[in-house]
């Protein structure tokens, strides 16, 4: 990880601990009521502003933002939006200008992307045929977004599942697909100012019974490169900074569609891959059952995610050297 790191004012109000690799972990404060469970930090910008989500008593996600120096996340108010997040919303990323992207759920449970910029909301849906859901996962300082859209497909022996397909949306609103060659599904998760995109893809290794493999990828200058964390049974990449360092998570447990399509945190550990791919630094929140790097990774080397404590509760964190 990069040596020049942002110093967070919220360190004073949080718990900090150093891991065995010299990485410092800062536990973030949970969001206030009506949030009750599943706090996750999903994005961080160069100023140290953090976005994330929690879940309320009804099990619906709520979007929050934690400006650098603040001691408590603030829930995002959607009352001025031209859409209604009936079943909740999630923030995914924030850029240097403070633009926030994420997704919201309508009354039918379908998700749609959104952009919050300068206090104004814009709803965003991928325009591809058969799309039922859109999830925006990353945004760079030029306003280019990446994410995935779902197209339902019947999987023999499993049933109908929402199959993710990656996309890129430029600041002018033009969409382009991101599809790892010969993959059954592609999920784009992060983008830097150079236009490099990271994510993960799914391949079917057995049709009956159904078995899959999951690998991380980086897309740079039109070239896809696949990689895996050492010892992983499944790897995802979720963020890339301007130096080309990549953050993500991996599992050493069974690789299932529910784990990777359902965005669950099970048997998960984080990592940072160096820009030249020569080293992997483990990201493992101290004494946590699971650690998940959620996506944010700023130019100063600070990254965010979620960890599961000994009681099974999720909380957000920031990691830096």
């Amino acid at each position: 990880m990069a040596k020049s790191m942002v110093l967070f004012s919220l360190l004073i109000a949080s718990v900090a601990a150093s891991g065995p690799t010299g990485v410092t972990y800062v536990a973030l404060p949970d969001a206030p009521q009506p949030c009750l469970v599943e706090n996750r930090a999903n994005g961080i910008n160069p100023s140290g502003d953090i976005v994330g989500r929690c879940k309320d008593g009804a099990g619906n996600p709520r979007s929050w933002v934690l400006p650098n120096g603040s001691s408590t996340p603030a829930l995002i108010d959607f009352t001025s939006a031209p859409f209604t997040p009936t079943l909740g919303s999630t923030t995914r990323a924030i850029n240097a200008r403070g633009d926030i992207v994420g997704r919201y759920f309508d009354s039918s449970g379908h998700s749609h992307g959104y952009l919050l910029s300068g206090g104004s909301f814009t709803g965003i849906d991928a325009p591809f045929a058969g799309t039922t859901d859109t999830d925006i996962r990353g945004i760079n300082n030029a306003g280019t977004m990446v994410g995935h859209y779902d197209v339902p497909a019947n999987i023999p022996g499993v049933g109908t599942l929402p199959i993710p397909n990656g996309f890129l949306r430029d600041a002018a609103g033009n969409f382009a697909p991101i599809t790892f060659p010969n993959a059954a599904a592609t999920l784009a998760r992060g983008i830097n100012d150079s236009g490099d995109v990271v994510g993960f893809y799914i391949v079917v290794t057995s049709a009956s019974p159904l078995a899959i493999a999951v690998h991380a990828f980086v897309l740079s200058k039109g070239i896809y490169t696949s990689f895996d964390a050492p010892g992983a049974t499944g790897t995802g990449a979720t963020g890339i900074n301007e130096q080309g360092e990549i953050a993500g998570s991996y599992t050493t447990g069974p690789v299932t569609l529910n784990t990777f399509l359902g965005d669950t945190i099970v048997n998960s550990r984080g990592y940072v891959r160096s820009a030249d791919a020569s080293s992997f630094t483990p990201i493992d929140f101290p004494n946590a059952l699971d650690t998940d790097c959620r996506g944010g990774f700023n130019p100063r080397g600070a990254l965010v995610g979620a960890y599961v404590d000994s009681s099974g509760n999720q909380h957000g964190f920031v990691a830096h050297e």
Side-chain angles (χ1 to χ4, degrees):
M1 294 174 69
K3 291 296 182 183
S4 57
M5 302 294 180
V6 65
L7 294 177
F8 294 97
S9 299
L10 54 82
L11 270 170
I12 299 173
S14 302
V15 177
S18 292
T21 60
V23 178
T24 297
Y25 299 86
V26 181
L28 296 176
D30 290 342
Q33 293 281 356
C35 290
L36 293 178
V37 295
E38 291 193 20
N39 278 271
R40 299 178 179 180
N42 290 332
I44 184 170
N45 67 9
S47 299
D49 305 319
I50 298 169
V51 294
R53 67 88 150 153
C54 56
K55 281 191 175 181
D56 59 25
N60 295 327
R62 297 290 191 104
S63 296
W64 56 254
V65 58
L66 179 66
N68 188 23
S70 298
S71 60
T72 305
L75 296 180
I76 295 177
D77 184 358
F78 285 85
T79 55
S80 65
F83 52 80
T84 302
T86 307
L87 296 180
S89 65
T90 299
T91 54
R92 297 296 198 189
I94 181 170
N95 66 13
R97 299 183 303 190
D99 299 332
I100 294 172
V101 293
R103 66 172 172 172
Y104 72 93
F105 295 88
D106 62 24
S107 59
S108 299
H110 291 295
S111 69
H112 311 265
Y114 75 83
L115 165 69
L116 172 57
S117 179
S120 297
F121 290 89
T122 302
I124 298 172
D125 286 299
F128 303 102
T131 298
T132 57
D133 298 89
T134 300
D135 189 357
I136 302 176
R137 304 292 303 221
I139 182 171
N140 66 13
N141 293 327
T144 302
M145 307 172 191
V146 294
H148 71 265
Y149 64 96
D150 293 339
V151 176
N154 182 57
I155 308 299
V158 177
T160 300
L161 291 176
I163 302 302
N165 302 266
F167 69 80
L168 180 147
R169 178 189 185 272
D170 66 22
N174 302 304
F175 280 80
I178 295 176
T179 305
F180 194 92
N182 303 313
T186 305
L187 297 90
R189 288 297 182 89
I191 183 171
N192 64 12
D193 285 347
S194 299
D196 300 324
V197 178
V198 294
F200 59 93
Y201 65 97
I202 298 172
V203 293
V204 176
T205 58
S206 172
S208 182
L210 180 65
I212 64 169
V214 178
H215 308 280
F217 75 85
V218 57
L219 170 60
S220 182
K221 298 179 175 59
I223 298 175
Y224 289 89
T225 302
S226 176
F227 68 90
D228 292 288
T233 55
T235 305
T238 54
I240 181 169
N241 65 14
E242 303 318 307
Q243 292 92 324
E245 297 172 310
I246 297 172
S249 296
Y250 68 96
T251 183
T252 56
V255 176
T256 67
L257 284 173
N258 285 337
T259 297
F260 281 89
L261 298 186
D263 201 26
T264 55
I265 302 176
V266 179
N267 296 320
S268 182
R269 293 292 180 266
Y271 69 84
V272 171
R273 194 194 82 160
S274 62
D276 62 3
S278 65
S279 67
F280 284 78
T281 299
I283 302 298
D284 209 355
F285 195 91
N287 303 314
L289 298 180
D290 297 286
T291 303
D292 193 23
C293 294
R294 299 295 302 169
F297 194 16
N298 73 15
R300 297 178 178 179
L303 59 93
V304 296
Y307 70 95
V308 179
D309 66 21
S310 59
S311 299
N313 299 312
Q314 294 179 27
H315 311 278
F317 73 88
V318 180
H320 59 97
E321 288 181 329

